[in-house]
Amino acid sequence: MARAATTSDVFNAIAEPQRREILLLLRSGEKPVAELAEALGMTQPGASKHLRVLREVGLVRDRKAGKQRLYSLDARGLRPVHEWAGGFERFWNESFDRLDEYVQDLKATRDAE
């Protein structure tokens, strides 16, 4: 089965580390592409390409503000990722519960000595 293009699949789009970093930067509010490019240590055209992919999968919105374009996070697009990752919550909770039991046993053993 062929893999979906990064421009149509949120999972593939966020597989790229620099795109995830853009999303993190946009959590604090909208930013122009120049500011994002500088923070990422990349060229403006490179940042623009990543922003285009993120916009096409619905993770980023943009608006004109004078001569520049401002980008903002649209976290609603992360819902499929959240729902998928949420399926592992029971596994992690059980793992943390086992770890807590182990730590409590260690403390009890230490206190008994």
Side-chain angles (χ1 to χ4, degrees), residues 56-104:
E56 288 177 359
V57 298
L59 295 175
V60 167
R61 289 176 292 189
D62 65 326
R63 70 177 181 88
K64 285 281 255 187
K67 292 184 177 184
Q68 65 181 353
R69 189 167 296 279
L70 298 175
Y71 292 87
S72 61
L73 176 65
D74 187 352
R76 294 175 296 180
L78 288 170
R79 180 168 298 284
V81 176
H82 174 73
E83 290 171 353
W84 179 81
F88 296 95
E89 185 175 359
R90 187 172 134 223
F91 167 78
W92 287 111
N93 286 339
E94 290 172 358
S95 295
F96 288 131
D97 289 345
R98 285 192 307 274
L99 178 61
D100 185 51
E101 289 173 22
Y102 176 72
V103 169
Q104 295 306 320

Side-chain angles (χ1 to χ4, degrees), residues 1-92:
M1 180 175 187
R3 227 173 113 165
T6 58
T7 56
S8 65
D9 181 274
V10 69
F11 290 93
N12 286 327
I14 65 170
E16 170 29 70
Q18 290 179 313
R19 291 188 198 129
R20 291 194 308 271
E21 186 65 28
I22 288 171
L23 296 176
L24 292 175
L25 291 168
L26 292 176
R27 285 191 313 186
S28 63
E30 63 183 8
K31 296 182 179 13
V33 67
E35 187 176 330
L36 293 167
E38 183 179 338
L40 295 166
M42 64 175 17
T43 65
Q44 209 166 323
S48 292
K49 287 179 183 180
H50 287 305
L51 286 163
R52 179 181 47 80
V53 170
L54 293 170
R55 188 178 62 244
E56 288 177 359
V57 298
L59 295 175
V60 167
R61 289 176 292 189
D62 65 326
R63 70 177 181 88
K64 285 281 255 187
K67 292 184 177 184
Q68 65 181 353
R69 189 167 296 279
L70 298 175
Y71 292 87
S72 61
L73 176 65
D74 187 352
R76 294 175 296 180
L78 288 170
R79 180 168 298 284
V81 176
H82 174 73
E83 290 171 353
W84 179 81
F88 296 95
E89 185 175 359
R90 187 172 134 223
F91 167 78
W92 287 111

